[in-house]
Amino acid sequence: MRIGLYGGTFDPVHLGHVHAALAVQEALQLDRVHMVLSARPGHREQPNTANVHRWEMLKLACDEHPTLSADDSEIQRLGFSYAIDTLRQFRANYPQGQLCWIMGMDSYLTLPTWHDWQRLVDFAHLIVVQRPGQQAAMDRELESFQQRFYADSLGTSRAGNIVFLSIPMLDISATQVRCLVQSGSSAKALLADGVWTYIDRNNLYHASLPHSLPNKEGII
Ligand code: ATP
């Protein structure tokens, strides 16, 4: 079994994410892609939008695609959302599966700031897609790490390779969506229909106040 995991703050999930997940799924013949909501990211600023909203939007975007599923394991776990812990959990559930952690190049370049990052390849392959317009320097440590694990393809191993895919991606970011909505413009074309309706109904991203009040269950 080949399983994709695609982590993100998804604030909000946009068509760039959906396209990346589906394109990698097709290119690598993945059985499915789990979209893992980073509830409390350990390596970047905390998102302003409550988990409950980001989670609902992620579910709406995934509902339209039978091979994508929204994954709440990082919401359920306490503390920071570390990819390594999520991968440990998936490895326990799929001892023989090929696990593929999908990420954009911008995210890959921040890898050395991730908790226990050098061990990620013990649990999964890293699949890196380009992001239009993104060019940044690579850390020395990451460069030598990449040289050790770089591969042309997944092969048959369960984990351990870094594979770069040159599939065209969409030039969309969540920052762009938030800015458009905040400035009163429509971001409809950048989002799944259900996500756009959800943002509109819940008045997300309009006000300057953060949408981060805890919900009834406290799963913020
Ligand atoms: P923000 O603008 O808030 O930083 P984002 O659009 O980069 O958000 P994230 O949730 O931070 O979205 O990203 C989750 C993952 O998706 C990361 O690995 C990121 O590189 C990747 N990603 C985001 N947008 C795209 C895109 N348009 N094409 C391919 N990958 C993307």
Side-chain angles (χ1 to χ4, degrees):
M1 203 168 192
R2 271 189 180 172
I3 295 157
L5 294 106
Y6 190 18
T9 48
F10 301 124
D11 186 18
V13 60
H14 52 68
L15 292 180
H17 295 128
V18 173
H19 169 79
L22 293 174
V24 174
Q25 189 240 322
E26 193 182 322
L28 298 181
Q29 300 286 292
L30 304 177
D31 291 285
R32 57 185 317 102
V33 177
H34 298 267
M35 311 280 282
V36 183
L37 185 82
S38 178
R40 290 162 290 270
H43 64 282
R44 63 177 282 176
E45 229 175 89
Q46 300 305 306
N48 275 334
T49 313
N51 282 351
V52 67
H53 288 312
R54 293 186 292 125
W55 172 246
E56 286 304 321
M57 292 189 282
L58 188 58
K59 278 196 296 183
L60 287 165
C62 290
D63 277 354
E64 294 183 14
H65 304 280
T67 51
L68 304 186
S69 43
D71 184 281
D72 68 352
S73 42
E74 296 185 0
I75 300 180
Q76 301 301 340
R77 262 198 330 262
L78 296 177
F80 282 125
S81 311
Y82 293 129
I84 192 85
D85 295 334
T86 304
L87 283 173
R88 271 203 190 91
Q89 226 172 303
F90 268 84
R91 178 50 76 208
N93 292 340
Y94 300 96
Q96 299 309 324
Q98 280 188 302
L99 299 183
C100 300
W101 184 271
I102 303 163
M103 62 208 307
M105 181 56 94
D106 59 314
S107 218
Y108 175 70
L109 291 172
T110 69
L111 214 56
T113 66
W114 292 30
H115 181 62
D116 225 356
W117 67 280
Q118 305 214 9
R119 298 207 57 209
L120 293 171
V121 285
D122 294 345
F123 296 94
H125 298 291
L126 301 186
I127 311 300
V128 185
V129 297
Q130 295 299 327
R131 268 190 88 171
Q134 299 261 341
Q135 228 16 288
M138 189 180 291
D139 183 286
R140 280 262 177 82
E141 226 183 340
L142 180 58
E143 208 172 326
S144 58
F145 178 73
Q146 182 174 305
Q147 275 163 9
R148 281 171 57 205
F149 297 105
Y150 173 83
D152 286 337
S153 64
L154 282 190
T156 53
S157 54
R158 297 179 312 155
N161 295 336
I162 303 178
V163 177
F164 294 88
L165 295 181
S166 55
I167 310 168
M169 291 290 140
L170 303 181
D171 192 3
I172 304 174
S173 72
T175 305
Q176 183 189 0
V177 172
R178 293 193 299 271
C179 289
L180 280 172
V181 177
Q182 198 163 23
S183 68
S185 309
S186 175
K188 192 174 192 297
L190 311 181
L191 301 164
D193 289 344
V195 174
W196 171 248
T197 308
Y198 187 93
I199 289 175
D200 202 36
R201 285 211 182 122
N202 290 278
N203 203 28
L204 297 185
Y205 309 118
H206 287 290
S208 49
L209 282 174
H211 299 275
S212 55
L213 298 172
N215 66 345
K216 281 202 299 274
E217 293 80 28
I219 53 159
I220 190 160

